[in-house]
Amino acid sequence: MKQIRFLLPLLFVNLAIAQYNITGELSNVNKDGLHEICLPNEIRSFSNRDLSDFRIFDNKGKEVSYFIREKGTFLRTNEYVAFEIVAKTAIKDTSSTIIFRNPFETMEEFVLSIANYSGSKTFKLLGSNNREEWFGVLNNGRISNLEGAEGISADKAVTFPRCAYRYLKIVLNDKNSLPINVLKIGSVSNDAIYRELQTVTPQTKTISELIEEKKTQIHVVFKNKEVINQVQFKVIAPKFFNRKGIIYAKSSRVIKQKTEVYNKPLAHFRLNSENETIFNIPEIFEDSIYIEIENKDNHSLTFSDIHFFQKPLYVIAALKKNENYSIKTGNKIAKAPEYDLSFFKNNISKDLPSVEIENIVARETPQDVAEKESLWQKPWFMWSCIIITGLVILFFMSNLIRDLKKE
């Protein structure tokens, strides 16, 4: 018993090290089923880059499975263009088949307009150029949430690997469910707009003039490491400009057993007064970056502001109506969960009801930790504690087992 009492403090050390620093709650869930949760920057800022530490818990403290989804950069408009349906057949209690013509050179998505139906439906998608030989495109698709929030029909987008077949055939499985009434098949218009990105707010922006190098240097510091996908410069003077720019981060490397600090290039761009001054860049994950703009013999540019953006990420989870859910993240040593739901992510509709994360609370910010960081808070010390604790537990457990055998 003395040995067990000795183990308890060690176990609490492990729990203290592996705590989640950020908590939140999900807004009201109005129906059972899969939901889409957009991750706000406040959550991503404190999470691991791969979101391996992100967790959802129900009101009993059990983990809720989820998978992560990233949407395309472009958001299509809602103007619907119907395709020509060339054949429609049905075998009772077996399947319903619809063949339609592909009006585009390639296709990777279409929209089914379906009369309201309570349930889901599985299907297969095939392609052909002559309506005689058919080849597989999507083997195990599923559409769900077929009850429109308004009106008497629902529009469901079906995505699949890009193909160039002149005809496509959708075969709906009616063996275990009632047939659905497909009113039309089509696509939204080719007009598209950029999907709104999330704003990332820097902690500080410091502008310096490098006189001898004829450059303007902007040092941007974020509170934590941030994912950056887009940068926008608000230039107010001069009226005409054409400047090269680079984004880089300070990094270190070892050369001949010596450590040196160097400028690691992250992105290049050109500011031109005749073009948009907003740039999509290779993904950056840094807490401190530098922007340098070449001035040559010109006056430096005057900025009203510089904005940073990141592509939104979404979590797809099965939730229950009126259930309370909590969010936890901010555990740097947590491993990514393995949920069965991720196996079916390609068959799950992209048109899902959404809920939001609210009441986000930071137990302790990384900035505060850095300011009062002591020896026992350093990562190497934390890992050492975990390893030593494990060895001590094994030692006492072996002694305990030996004592029990003697008795």
Side-chain angles (χ1 to χ4, degrees):
M1 290 301 294
K2 291 181 179 179
Q3 292 168 340
I4 293 174
R5 292 193 197 100
F6 181 80
L7 292 177
L8 290 177
L10 294 175
L11 293 174
F12 285 124
V13 169
N14 272 343
L15 291 173
I17 290 173
Q19 69 180 358
Y20 291 90
N21 291 324
I22 309 301
T23 60
E25 300 173 353
L26 292 185
S27 58
N28 293 334
V29 180
N30 297 321
K31 59 188 297 187
D32 292 347
L34 291 168
H35 287 71
E36 175 182 270
I37 308 165
C38 183
L39 298 178
N41 177 250
E42 294 92 327
I43 291 292
R44 293 182 64 185
S45 177
F46 289 97
S47 302
N48 297 336
R49 186 176 187 178
D50 60 356
L51 295 173
S52 58
D53 56 339
F54 182 85
R55 298 291 187 276
I56 304 174
F57 295 93
D58 62 18
N59 55 11
K60 296 180 181 178
K62 294 183 178 180
E63 283 191 32
V64 177
S65 61
Y66 69 86
F67 67 87
I68 300 168
R69 172 180 285 174
E70 181 178 346
K71 296 185 178 180
T73 304
F74 291 99
L75 179 65
R76 294 181 176 179
T77 59
N78 293 324
E79 186 178 351
Y80 190 89
V81 178
F83 298 158
E84 178 188 359
I85 296 177
V86 297
K88 215 173 185 183
T89 58
I91 301 175
K92 188 177 180 180
D93 298 329
T94 302
S95 65
S96 302
T97 301
I98 304 172
I99 300 174
F100 62 93
R101 190 189 302 273
N102 175 12
F104 308 121
E105 291 184 4
T106 63
M107 183 185 289
E108 58 185 345
E109 180 181 276
F110 59 80
V111 178
L112 293 174
S113 182
I114 302 167
N116 280 347
Y117 176 83
S118 179
S120 60
K121 180 68 68 172
T122 60
F123 66 91
K124 294 182 179 180
L125 185 66
L126 301 91
S128 173
N129 290 318
N130 55 18
R131 292 176 57 188
E132 295 180 0
E133 290 183 292
W134 292 94
F135 305 94
V137 177
L138 182 63
N139 187 53
N140 190 23
R142 175 182 289 274
I143 47 178
S144 55
N145 297 318
L146 304 181
E147 186 175 350
E150 300 178 0
I152 59 173
S153 65
D155 291 338
K156 292 295 168 183
V158 176
T159 57
F160 47 90
R162 182 176 295 179
C163 65
Y165 295 114
R166 291 179 58 196
Y167 299 94
L168 290 170
K169 175 166 67 175
I170 181 169
V171 181
L172 299 157
N173 185 356
D174 296 336
K175 288 182 179 179
N176 300 314
S177 59
L178 296 171
I180 60 175
N181 183 12
V182 177
L183 304 174
K184 55 185 178 180
I185 301 176
S187 174
V188 293
S189 65
N190 291 329
D191 294 334
I193 58 175
Y194 278 106
R195 190 180 299 278
E196 185 176 352
L197 302 186
Q198 292 175 326
T199 300
V200 179
T201 304
Q203 192 172 37
T204 61
K205 290 196 293 279
T206 306
I207 300 178
S208 305
E209 297 301 328
L210 308 180
I211 304 299
E212 293 185 1
E213 300 178 32
K214 298 181 179 180
K215 294 179 179 179
T216 298
Q217 183 187 79
I218 306 164
H219 185 199
V220 183
V221 178
F222 301 96
K223 196 168 187 179
N224 303 296
K225 282 194 172 183
E226 297 279 7
V227 172
I228 305 296
N229 303 109
Q230 191 179 87
V231 183
Q232 182 182 32
F233 297 88
K234 295 286 189 177
V235 183
I236 57 176
K239 184 176 181 180
F240 301 100
F241 55 86
N242 182 41
R243 314 283 173 92
K244 289 182 179 179
I246 183 174
I247 302 175
Y248 65 87
K250 297 287 185 181
S251 188
S252 61
R253 58 190 173 192
V254 178
I255 299 179
K256 295 181 180 180
Q257 298 182 341
K258 292 184 178 180
T259 302
E260 67 172 21
V261 177
Y262 72 103
N263 297 337
K264 180 178 70 175
L266 302 174
H268 293 82
F269 60 91
R270 180 180 289 273
L271 290 168
N272 187 291
S273 53
E274 293 185 350
N275 300 319
E276 292 285 342
T277 54
I278 184 168
F279 305 95
N280 293 319
I281 59 175
E283 185 169 285
I284 291 174
F285 185 63
E286 301 286 346
D287 56 6
S288 174
I289 61 173
Y290 292 83
I291 303 172
E292 283 190 3
I293 300 170
E294 294 183 2
N295 296 323
K296 295 185 179 180
D297 296 319
N298 304 289
H299 291 295
S300 58
L301 300 178
T302 302
F303 301 98
S304 62
D305 209 343
I306 302 173
H307 299 296
F308 301 89
F309 304 94
Q310 63 184 199
K311 295 177 182 178
L313 284 181
Y314 302 83
V315 163
I316 308 301
L319 306 175
K320 295 181 180 179
K321 183 179 180 180
N322 297 329
E323 184 96 10
N324 294 321
Y325 295 93
S326 60
I327 301 297
K328 292 185 180 181
T329 191
N331 181 353
K332 298 304 179 185
I333 62 174
K335 293 183 179 180
E338 297 182 9
Y339 299 128
D340 291 342
L341 184 62
S342 62
F343 180 81
F344 305 96
K345 61 183 179 181
N346 292 330
N347 301 329
I348 292 175
S349 171
K350 292 185 178 181
D351 184 16
L352 297 173
S354 62
V355 294
E356 297 179 353
I357 300 177
E358 54 190 20
N359 299 328
I360 299 172
V361 177
R363 185 176 300 177
E364 193 172 46
T365 66
Q367 181 67 25
D368 295 334
V369 173
E371 289 176 357
K372 59 184 180 182
E373 187 180 63
S374 56
L375 175 67
W376 65 272
Q377 291 172 309
K378 294 183 180 295
W380 65 266
F381 182 80
M382 295 166 65
W383 280 108
S384 298
C385 287
I386 294 172
I387 294 171
I388 293 171
T389 300
L391 293 174
V392 173
I393 290 173
L394 288 175
F395 174 76
F396 280 98
M397 288 297 291
S398 62
N399 287 342
L400 182 62
I401 292 172
R402 193 180 302 117
D403 292 341
L404 289 173
K405 286 182 178 179
K406 289 180 180 180
E407 293 177 4

